[in-house]
Amino acid sequence: MTPDAIPHGKVHIGISGWRYKGWRGVFYPEKLPQRKELEFASRRFDTIELNGSFYSLQRPESFSRWHAETPQDFTFSVKGSRYITHMRRLRDVEAPLANFFAQGLLRFGAKLGPILWQFPPNFKFEPEVLEAFFELLPRTQMQAAELARKHDDRLQGRSWFQVC
């Protein structure tokens, strides 16, 4: 295969979040309001990891706001829930996965990039557990929306499962 025949992907350079106190006055301008940090960072990097989704479910309105604050060609990476990876350890995660996708991340539309699943350092490699988890994961936004519709009652009234 010649170098010209090798398919080329897009390389993204980004950061793992945008709210870092130590960056204020260093990376972020001294007087920049905290609410403007995503807008500022998204003009310097073409991707940023949404790290808060690792710790808790977010609100659909937040995804809409983040979408509006970033350029049209921007890409969000979204960190998967630690409840799924660290607490449930990928077992019995159908409802938690539905909740994760129902929280509003589909509001990112074309700005939704990879979903990062971070495992704890002591995560035991069990091929059958990983395979079962991989089978549950949607491959398209339409599949993600279908899965999101299976959310539990905790997300009643604050879910989003439309593809933007």
Side-chain angles (χ1 to χ4, degrees):
M1 186 178 273
T2 66
D4 292 335
I6 298 172
H8 295 92
K10 183 175 181 183
V11 175
H12 294 274
I13 307 294
I15 52 179
S16 60
W18 63 89
R19 287 208 170 155
Y20 297 113
K21 185 177 180 180
W23 289 28
R24 295 185 191 131
V26 179
F27 172 71
Y28 296 115
E30 192 74 43
K31 305 252 187 231
L32 183 74
Q34 186 177 18
R35 70 180 184 284
K36 296 283 197 176
E37 289 177 353
L38 173 59
E39 182 180 339
F40 180 88
S42 70
R43 274 37 176 206
R44 279 125 189 105
F45 297 100
D46 68 349
T47 187
I48 295 177
E49 176 187 330
L50 175 61
N51 197 37
S53 55
F54 179 71
Y55 299 101
S56 64
L57 294 173
Q58 306 298 306
R59 296 198 168 273
E61 304 79 41
S62 298
F63 288 95
S64 294
R65 186 177 67 253
W66 298 328
H67 181 278
E69 292 174 357
T70 55
Q72 185 176 351
D73 61 347
F74 190 78
T75 301
F76 282 97
S77 335
V78 179
K79 189 177 274 188
S81 168
R82 71 179 174 154
Y83 180 71
I84 293 169
T85 57
H86 289 56
M87 296 173 190
R88 300 302 292 262
R89 296 194 173 255
L90 308 184
R91 297 177 191 278
D92 301 316
V93 295
E94 293 84 356
L97 264 176
N99 290 346
F100 176 78
F101 285 100
Q103 70 181 311
L105 60 95
L106 293 175
R107 286 195 175 185
F108 280 157
K111 293 182 183 183
L112 177 59
I115 297 173
L116 310 171
W117 297 99
Q118 175 182 315
F119 301 117
N122 61 355
F123 188 81
K124 183 179 175 187
F125 177 72
E126 296 178 82
E128 61 282 350
V129 172
L130 286 168
E131 288 173 21
F133 177 67
F134 295 153
E135 284 294 317
L136 293 172
L137 293 176
R139 303 299 190 260
T140 67
Q141 287 195 18
M142 291 300 288
Q143 289 175 354
E146 290 172 24
L147 177 58
R149 286 183 179 87
K150 299 175 184 174
H151 68 81
D152 64 22
D153 292 340
R154 292 183 315 125
L155 268 71
Q156 200 65 32
R158 62 169 267 199
S159 59
W160 182 266
F161 34 82
Q162 295 176 18
V163 176
C164 295

